[in-house]
Amino acid sequence: MRQLGYPVLTALIFFPLAACLAVMFVRREKTIRVFTLIVALAEAALSLPLLGFDAAHSGFQFVERVPWVKTWGLTYYLGVDGISLVMTMLTVAVLPLCVLCSWSSIRKRVKEFHFCLLFMISACLGVFTALDFVLFYVFWEAMLIPMYLLIAIWGGSERRYASIKFFLYTLAGSSLLLLALIAFRYAGGSFDIPELMAKRYPFHFQCWTFLAMALAFAIKVPMFPFHTWLPAAHVQAPAAGSVILASILLKMGAYGFMRFSLPLTPEACQYFAPMMIAVSLVSILYGGAMALAQNDIKKIIAFSSVGHMGFVTMGIFLLDLNGLQGALLQMLNHGITTGALFMMVGAVYERSHSREVSHNLGLGKYLPAFMAFWGLFAFSSFGFPGTNNFVGEFLVLVGTFQVKIWIGLAMIPGALLAAAYMLRLTRKMAWGVPSSARGWQDLNIREWVYLLPAAFFVIYIGLAPRFFFDAVDPSLDNLVKQVRHRTKVVVGANGPRPAIDFVPIKISPAAAVERDRMRGR
């Protein structure tokens, strides 16, 4: 376990929380913006010790553990492995970009907006670093409040509908997650996540807890048919809210599948893998088809997220290293690319005061720098070779073809749909007539500042992703070994057949017998 002389993770979580309390005493709006930006940059500096993460070590590092409520067995327990490290660094990087992209667009309740922004980042960091189940759940619930407020107060004309729908969907999923939490406490005797991972659970228990957790995480991803809250939330949210939704919140569901579902319920994951793969495939195709039918730029990107996150869940439930590598890399890539696209939508909305494609035509002549960035992110979004999304989607496709050729073939139309809707949108925005951009200003310095880092990582990860694999491979390899070890026994020719013949993990004879009993055989 990697430890330093001071609590790095606690500092990352509670520094923005302390800052959001301090910002309530600042009066001038410009001072509030500058103060929050300084806090965001200081948060990035506080995260630098995480660059010392030992990539050769698959366990949790930077561990902090303090008794919390001894009578209940609760501990304040934090730590990161390769999986949570990626999401923690992404969360920290998103904060200053959100401050910059909302610099001129947020004009009412500026103090409260930045309060919610800082509170939100604290809660998200807690989700990705908590190693106590109850502590994880506290942070999981805490992020619901500021996100609801960001949509309900600073959203568009239908913000009340979108915010309530987001709240109800997320609350329903959280209730199911709470039931699973309680079940694991009784079955495992602890809230300690690593301790719970080390134990075996009966097959029927795994099935019920998997379904409870899977529904909670599927709503957050969101997977079809639990996706309907997402387009409304994205369209009505302010630019910074959309960036947080796309870059961080959607990843919490996929992170939950990796952190909880796979290691805690491995046999249930294998049993339900065909269903999860089928739903992921539907999400890819449905998200692409719906994006192609939209005329609102934000809706196009929102529905594209359903398709892109379908690639993530597909990679997770292939249950092999290639799939998990692709899924985790896609979580990072989607956060970078789609977050950047939403920032650009916010920038063009400040100029046209409309998100309709027909009101944002022919920008190439008058906003060449803007369209250069847009083209880069658009090409990255549909996985053009040399960009970051290509690497992640390629790994997922490799995993699907290794597992079953027909799954890989069925995913190809989803990739084609992504190219179709992004190229159609980009063509109209660049060369559509009559041009809407006469007299518009091209990118200002602030917009250059928040777009350049995203563009850098789009290209860098696309051309040299080795640093990513060096950091995450030990943790992902350990996760695959955990799953295979707990479903390890090879079924002989005369023994029970595995629940799904295309996943390269066998389930134990005892689990197979119990599975058949549940099926009524």
Side-chain angles (χ1 to χ4, degrees), residues 491-501 507-508 512 515-516 519 521:
V491 180
N494 298 322
R497 292 178 59 82
I500 44 175
D501 60 359
I507 66 174
S508 66
R515 176 208 65 209
D516 291 341
R519 294 168 114 183
R521 292 182 181 177

Side-chain angles (χ1 to χ4, degrees), residues 237-464:
S242 294
V243 172
I244 293 175
L245 271 172
S247 298
I248 304 173
L249 258 69
L250 305 191
K251 311 306 178 297
M252 289 182 180
Y255 175 79
F257 281 126
M258 287 188 177
R259 175 61 70 229
F260 298 102
S261 299
L262 264 62
L264 293 177
T265 60
E267 291 174 347
C269 283
Q270 184 189 6
Y271 182 77
F272 289 108
M275 176 186 74
M276 299 303 293
I277 288 174
V279 174
S280 299
L281 185 59
V282 172
S283 297
I284 293 170
L285 299 175
Y286 174 85
M290 289 299 295
L292 190 60
Q294 304 304 314
N295 291 312
D296 183 300
I297 302 174
K298 252 194 172 184
K299 280 188 178 181
I300 293 172
I301 303 172
F303 277 109
S304 78
S305 293
V306 177
H308 290 310
M309 293 306 294
F311 273 90
V312 172
T313 52
M314 175 71 77
I316 292 171
F317 285 96
L318 293 176
L319 304 179
D320 72 351
L321 185 58
N322 280 332
L324 287 169
Q325 285 176 331
L328 186 56
L329 184 55
Q330 272 305 94
M331 289 164 65
L332 173 63
N333 292 337
H334 181 266
I336 295 170
T337 302
T338 306
L341 286 171
F342 276 121
M343 287 190 289
M344 298 200 75
V345 173
V348 78
Y349 182 79
E350 290 185 36
R351 292 160 170 82
S352 68
H353 305 292
S354 173
R355 291 185 296 266
E356 290 294 318
V357 177
S358 59
H359 296 160
N360 294 281
L361 302 177
L363 311 187
K365 180 178 179 180
Y366 300 99
L367 281 70
F370 178 92
M371 285 310 304
F373 277 109
W374 180 275
L376 174 63
F377 297 132
F379 273 63
S380 171
S381 181
F382 67 79
F384 190 79
T387 62
N388 56 344
N389 277 273
F390 172 77
V391 183
E393 290 187 6
F394 178 77
L395 283 170
V396 175
L397 281 170
V398 168
T400 57
F401 277 103
Q402 286 178 339
V403 168
K404 210 68 169 178
I405 292 177
W406 68 263
I407 303 176
L409 293 175
M411 289 179 67
I412 291 176
L416 296 176
L417 282 169
Y421 62 72
M422 287 309 301
L423 288 174
R424 168 181 170 268
L425 173 61
T426 303
R427 177 183 61 81
K428 289 185 175 183
M429 289 181 66
W431 298 294
V433 291
S435 176
S436 311
R438 189 182 299 274
W440 292 1
Q441 180 188 1
D442 205 353
L443 295 179
N444 57 40
I445 295 175
R446 174 176 55 84
E447 290 164 341
W448 275 93
V449 169
Y450 66 68
L451 290 175
L452 277 173
F456 169 78
F457 282 106
V458 164
I459 297 171
Y460 183 60
I461 296 175
L463 297 178

Side-chain angles (χ1 to χ4, degrees), residues 6 20 46 65 106 141 153 158 184 222 270 363 374 378 382 390 416 488:
Y6 76 99
C20 76
L46 288 173
R65 189 168 188 174
I106 300 300
E141 287 290 270
I153 297 176
E158 298 181 13
F184 277 109
Q270 184 189 6
L363 311 187
W374 180 275
F382 67 79
F390 172 77
L416 296 176
K488 184 177 175 181

Side-chain angles (χ1 to χ4, degrees), residues 471-520:
V472 305
D473 276 359
S475 297
L476 292 179
D477 189 55
N478 182 58
L479 179 59
V480 172
K481 287 178 180 177
Q482 280 184 325
V483 175
R484 291 185 176 179
H485 174 71
R486 298 165 100 188
T487 55
K488 184 177 175 181
V489 178
V490 177
V491 180
N494 298 322
R497 292 178 59 82
I500 44 175
D501 60 359
F502 57 83
V503 174
I505 302 174
K506 309 293 183 180
I507 66 174
S508 66
V513 170
E514 191 166 3
R515 176 208 65 209
D516 291 341
R517 180 183 64 77
M518 291 180 65
R519 294 168 114 183

Side-chain angles (χ1 to χ4, degrees), residues 120 124 140-152 158-174 216 219-222 226-234 236-237 241 244-246 248-250 252:
M120 184 77 198
C124 293
W140 177 276
E141 287 290 270
M143 65 88 204
L144 175 61
I145 300 170
M147 193 68 241
Y148 167 80
L149 293 175
L150 285 173
I151 301 172
E158 298 181 13
R159 57 186 179 272
R160 291 184 180 179
Y161 165 78
S163 59
I164 291 173
K165 192 170 187 179
F166 163 78
F167 188 90
L168 292 177
Y169 266 77
T170 306
L171 188 63
S174 298
I219 289 171
K220 191 75 75 178
V221 167
F226 309 106
H227 67 284
T228 58
W229 65 268
L230 181 64
H234 265 316
Q236 298 304 317
I244 293 175
L245 271 172
I248 304 173
L249 258 69
L250 305 191
M252 289 182 180

